[in-house]
Amino acid sequence: MKTFCSVWLLLSVVELSPAPPASQEPPLACRGAADPAPPQPETAEDMASTGDLEPTHYPARRAAQVALHYLNTHHGSPFRVFGLQQVHKASAEDVEAGGRKYKLDFSVTDWASGSAGPALRCSADVLFPRTERHSAPDVKLRCEALQQINRTAQEEEAFYQKHITPDSAVSARDIPDSYGNMSEEMQPFWRLARVAASFIMLRESSENTEFNMAQVASVTQQESSEEQLMLEFVVLLHDLPSQEIVQWKLLASWSPDRGVRVLQTEWQPRCPHATKPPN
Amino acid sequence: MRVYLAVFALLAAVHCEELLNGDQVLRIHVESEDHIQALKELEEDVDSVLDFWTHGFSTERPIDIRVPHTSLSAVKDFLKKNNVPFTVMINNVQELLDRETAEMVSNAKMERSTKSFNFAAYHDLETLYSFMDTLVASHPNLITKVHIGNSYENRPMYALKFSTGGVSRPAIWVDAGIHSREWVTQASAAWIANQIASNYGVDPSVTSLLGQMDIYLMIVTNPDGYVFTHTDNRMWRKTRSVNSGSSCRGVDPNRNWDAGFGGPGASKDPCSESYHGPYANSEVEVKNVVDLIMGHGNFKSFISIHSYSQLLMYPYGYTCTDIPDKSELHSVGTAAIKELTSLYNTIYQVGSICKIIYQASGGSIDWTYNIGIKYSFAFELRDTGYYGFLLPANQIIPTAEETWLGLKYIMEYVRNHPY
């Protein structure tokens, strides 16, 4: 049984190579559903935005957010999600094979402590490929003192022990709720969802998108496997340029040792008239 | 507090039987030494039940005396006999007291209900509308509710007009909630409405501003959408109009204005969140505001409040070409943000819509700028994406407080730079 599970897990991991949402046709009942993040036509300004970029303008900020998603996939946890504090310097250049590479100098904070918290200085190269079918950006990231940040090992261990037991069966909807309320108990699950969603946001990003996680529609704990917490999330992502809300279902695993892994993702088409996510 | 004490005292006085029914207050116009003598006689009468409201007699000013009902004819006869001129200032003291008490009780109640409106919570449309009525009722000389038209689903659209008089004074427009899911904007606007009302007569800057200009504040600019976010879909952004030939409803009300309409940064797909609609001003919600602005003809500033991203922006959105007034608007924005940040250290960025957030056509402040309303701005309030639209209610007041500082700066600047 264990070997079967391992093999299945392995196969699932392999499946992580994403099928872009465009390849999944919406069911007939949802004809006319908007594509997530339709690309915007380039303006004359885009052409000119090579060389030094204004750090407060969107081209630099979008690239920095992509670097943030990358950072969170590697270093996010139920007790740590990073947020962008400020872009200090940015530049962009076209590269061979038709992509654009951004060089960034920026600061991040542990989002939970807000902009008041200690900031980490980071630098990143973010390469957006220009291919016919969308492919994920490539990120090279360096943050100073990453290893020295306040380790949340104790909280992680306690959280892990509490929920790895066979009788733990967490299930919740709408985190936070319409009023922004999120219970203390749900916060680590929200952060896990945010980190797992970062895998998707990273993969789906382009120069024409700027993703955030708008809400966790649901979290359902699955049977633990290989000593990993297994969680099925439905998340709502918000893309700023198109203002679309995009719904994804995903299966993620976590443990203090292995961090967050995303095993399966599935884009959920938005029926125009459906107002609640389909179960 | 003083109001409560006064009401209590009055109620206590009044409750101890109606002692003052039929009593009158006479105003004596003293003209000579003889008159003064007569009055002194009256006053020194030990058994006198006369209640002198003025002490010290002189010909310089009138003397007021409350005369109990039973002594009225005797006193009036005395005054006539001594040729002391008088007038009846208060015809029935009890009646006046009753009226004043009723007014004070009612005011206290209204004050309590605006005080009891929970600004640190998100409310439904009915509650917000009822708050508007309460605010207007407790500041009848400052605020009127302007019915600017109805929404697609026939809900009334109201703007609060803050005015100390004049005719078509230069005015400032502020709207919130044009995108219904941006709940912190309607909530902040309610707080700001109350703040302006409370500050008038107290804060010299607000008082001077309202001495010269009017403020129009629209708390819920998209009522149909707002209701829908409560009943069906918290993430609804657009209006709720029916799109012919599509099962998708709604038009993005901030892509529907006549500025670069239909250009890049808006969608022609009715199912899209940024669908611009069949033509400019197709949405009645937009048309109502356009009609008011055009009909008024004297707006000097137009400020639209959105969330989230923590930005203060000026035109254009439909093109990244700089406006002629870019330099001035950028420095006004920068100074406004400095005020905002000073309160809780919330970091905002300043820039044109097109450069700082995205190219977007058919936006409101582009249209207002192009018709000559120079000081056109758009806010994106808290946060930067952590909670996004679902900002916790405990952040409403801090958000409103800091936003008010930025808004106030812009308004003061507009007042100081007439054009």
Side-chain angles (χ1 to χ4, degrees):
Chain A
M1 188 60 189
K2 201 163 173 213
T3 9
F4 172 76
C5 285
S6 314
V7 170
W8 185 82
L9 257 177
L10 225 78
L11 286 173
S12 314
V13 170
V14 166
E15 212 201 276
L16 184 56
S17 313
S23 71
Q24 290 176 267
E25 283 303 319
L28 262 85
C30 300
R31 211 187 302 269
D35 273 327
Q40 293 186 319
E42 281 196 3
T43 62
E45 285 76 21
D46 281 0
M47 299 302 186
S49 70
T50 300
D52 282 339
L53 302 176
E54 182 57 56
T56 58
H57 290 180
Y58 72 76
R61 194 182 58 240
R62 286 181 194 173
Q65 298 283 22
V66 170
L68 253 302
H69 295 319
Y70 180 89
L71 175 62
N72 280 321
T73 59
H74 281 73
H75 294 277
S77 80
F79 294 91
R80 173 148 294 121
V81 174
F82 290 99
L84 178 67
Q85 191 201 52
Q86 205 188 350
V87 179
H88 304 291
K89 278 211 313 268
S91 66
E93 59 178 0
D94 290 331
V95 296
E96 348 77 40
R100 185 173 296 161
K101 178 150 71 156
Y102 290 72
K103 280 175 138 49
L104 306 158
D105 171 12
F106 58 102
S107 292
V108 305
T109 54
D110 180 350
W111 232 350
S113 35
S115 52
L120 278 184
R121 194 67 172 246
C122 299
S123 64
D125 289 353
V126 177
L127 171 64
F128 291 106
R130 299 264 177 86
T131 51
E132 223 179 85
R133 236 166 65 127
H134 172 83
S135 49
D138 178 76
V139 181
K140 293 187 182 13
L141 174 72
R142 276 167 316 278
C143 291
E144 61 182 30
L146 199 51
Q147 313 313 322
Q148 292 160 34
I149 50 171
N150 216 358
R151 278 288 312 181
T152 51
Q154 266 187 314
E155 294 112 305
E156 287 181 31
E157 193 58 35
F159 175 73
Y160 176 75
Q161 290 305 334
K162 181 171 179 192
H163 294 289
I164 200 69
T165 64
D167 36 302
S168 173
V170 173
S171 174
R173 302 189 64 89
D174 295 341
I175 309 151
D177 66 14
S178 288
Y179 303 84
N181 298 323
M182 179 161 41
S183 69
E184 198 77 39
E185 217 222 320
M186 277 298 127
Q187 297 211 9
F189 290 101
W190 183 90
R191 285 188 210 109
L192 270 176
R194 180 59 173 76
V195 172
S198 300
F199 284 81
I200 301 174
M201 294 191 281
L202 173 62
R203 186 184 73 201
E204 299 299 321
S205 287
S206 74
E207 287 168 282
N208 300 315
T209 62
E210 198 171 338
F211 286 110
N212 271 303
M213 186 177 80
Q215 190 182 37
V216 178
S218 69
V219 53
T220 319
Q221 185 171 8
Q222 311 291 302
E223 197 183 306
S224 303
S225 168
E226 296 277 290
E227 293 169 353
Q228 306 297 305
L229 281 190
M230 300 290 284
L231 297 161
E232 183 193 84
F233 293 108
V234 175
V235 296
L236 300 179
L237 304 181
H238 172 235
D239 171 49
L240 210 55
S242 68
Q243 291 292 347
E244 296 295 333
I245 303 286
V246 191
Q247 189 169 299
W248 286 86
K249 181 156 101 170
L250 59 109
L251 180 65
S253 72
W254 176 78
S255 71
D257 300 328
R258 280 221 279 169
V260 178
R261 306 250 171 128
V262 172
L263 310 174
Q264 270 172 47
T265 67
E266 184 189 312
W267 174 61
Q268 307 215 293
R270 240 174 81 239
C271 289
H273 30 267
T275 51
K276 292 181 166 52
N279 270 333
Chain B
M1 188 56 197
R2 256 176 308 181
V3 174
Y4 284 105
L5 280 175
V7 172
F8 177 74
L10 261 172
L11 283 173
V14 166
H15 190 70
C16 308
E17 293 125 55
E18 285 196 347
L19 297 170
L20 309 172
N21 204 12
D23 292 7
Q24 289 187 347
V25 174
L26 306 181
R27 174 158 280 185
I28 318 292
H29 305 278
V30 176
E31 285 165 356
S32 69
E33 271 303 315
D34 286 340
H35 291 167
I36 293 180
Q37 269 312 112
L39 281 178
K40 283 200 171 144
E41 232 181 272
L42 217 48
E43 195 192 27
E44 277 153 28
D45 186 345
V46 173
D47 292 318
S48 172
V49 294
L50 297 185
D51 178 11
F52 280 79
W53 283 11
T54 324
H55 297 280
F57 306 141
S58 88
T59 52
E60 307 286 313
R61 56 195 170 84
I63 295 140
D64 296 334
I65 315 172
R66 179 181 61 84
V67 182
H69 179 61
T70 43
S71 314
L72 259 178
S73 28
V75 170
K76 282 179 178 172
D77 284 345
F78 177 85
L79 291 171
K80 283 184 193 145
K81 208 155 73 174
N82 286 275
N83 288 319
V84 181
F86 68 91
T87 49
V88 177
M89 214 176 59
I90 300 175
N91 195 49
N92 185 336
V93 178
Q94 188 58 48
E95 214 177 83
L96 179 62
L97 275 177
D98 288 346
R99 254 187 292 133
E100 282 183 347
T101 309
E103 205 183 296
M104 281 169 100
V105 169
S106 157
N107 279 343
K109 198 162 106 183
M110 270 192 282
E111 212 185 294
R112 270 200 309 279
S113 41
T114 44
K115 280 202 173 110
S116 71
F117 179 84
N118 186 1
F119 292 104
Y122 293 111
H123 298 289
D124 64 15
L125 189 71
E126 195 188 320
T127 311
L128 284 180
Y129 275 18
S130 142
F131 161 76
M132 284 184 221
D133 286 336
T134 312
L135 194 69
V136 169
S138 44
H139 299 90
N141 296 325
L142 181 65
I143 318 177
T144 44
K145 193 171 78 171
V146 182
H147 182 192
I148 78 166
N150 287 351
S151 68
Y152 181 83
E153 290 175 336
N154 236 355
R155 294 186 174 86
M157 291 175 64
Y158 296 122
L160 295 179
K161 177 183 172 190
F162 295 78
S163 178
T164 59
V167 179
S168 248
R169 279 186 178 165
I172 299 172
W173 169 275
V174 180
D175 68 71
I178 196 170
H179 290 136
S180 37
R181 62 189 178 199
E182 299 166 7
W183 278 17
V184 74
T185 69
Q186 299 95 334
S188 295
W191 184 93
I192 288 170
N194 187 59
Q195 188 67 203
I196 297 174
S198 318
N199 274 4
Y200 177 69
V202 175
D203 176 299
S205 181
V206 172
T207 308
S208 110
L209 177 82
L210 286 169
Q212 305 165 43
M213 305 185 75
D214 294 342
I215 299 174
Y216 285 72
L217 176 55
M218 185 141 207
I219 296 177
V220 188
T221 311
N222 178 3
D224 295 349
Y226 192 60
V227 170
F228 200 70
T229 59
H230 286 268
T231 57
D232 284 69
N233 183 351
R234 176 62 179 84
M235 296 293 172
W236 191 262
R237 165 184 169 86
K238 303 187 286 182
T239 61
R240 289 293 299 160
S241 55
V242 168
N243 292 311
S244 76
S246 172
S247 56
C248 294
R249 285 176 76 146
V251 166
D252 184 338
N254 208 28
R255 300 288 184 277
N256 190 243
W257 300 69
D258 196 3
F261 177 83
S267 173
K268 59 186 191 302
D269 177 1
C271 297
S272 164
E273 294 281 24
S274 56
Y275 173 50
H276 49 56
Y279 51 87
N281 302 332
S282 64
E283 301 312 282
V284 65
E285 291 83 358
V286 171
K287 182 86 173 42
N288 289 337
V289 178
V290 167
D291 287 347
L292 181 132
I293 302 280
M294 296 297 279
H296 184 281
N298 205 20
F299 277 93
K300 297 300 177 188
S301 176
F302 185 98
I303 302 165
S304 190
I305 304 186
H306 296 254
S307 77
Y308 59 91
S309 282
Q310 291 174 205
L311 305 168
L312 176 51
M313 303 176 289
Y314 47 83
Y316 289 123
Y318 71 90
T319 170
C320 285
T321 308
D322 284 340
I323 51 173
D325 301 293
K326 181 239 158 102
S327 210
E328 186 187 1
L329 294 199
H330 191 93
S331 65
V332 173
T334 304
I337 254 37
K338 192 153 166 258
E339 296 304 309
L340 185 155
T341 305
S342 72
L343 196 56
Y344 296 113
N345 249 328
T346 307
I347 312 269
Y348 268 60
Q349 310 292 348
V350 183
S352 74
I353 296 173
C354 185
K355 293 189 175 161
I356 212 164
I357 196 172
Y358 44 54
Q359 189 178 20
S361 57
S364 62
I365 75 168
D366 287 358
W367 176 77
T368 57
Y369 182 80
N370 279 347
I371 61 161
I373 302 177
K374 179 162 59 150
Y375 300 113
S376 293
F377 291 94
F379 277 85
E380 291 276 2
L381 305 187
R382 291 194 194 182
D383 58 15
T384 53
Y386 190 80
Y387 285 102
F389 300 120
L390 308 181
L391 197 70
N394 63 14
Q395 287 198 45
I396 295 173
I397 294 184
T399 303
E401 288 174 326
E402 66 192 13
T403 305
W404 169 235
L405 294 185
L407 204 56
K408 199 157 81 116
Y409 180 89
I410 296 173
M411 292 188 180
E412 287 162 0
Y413 187 92
V414 174
R415 173 198 67 205
N416 296 337
H417 295 80
Y419 62 96

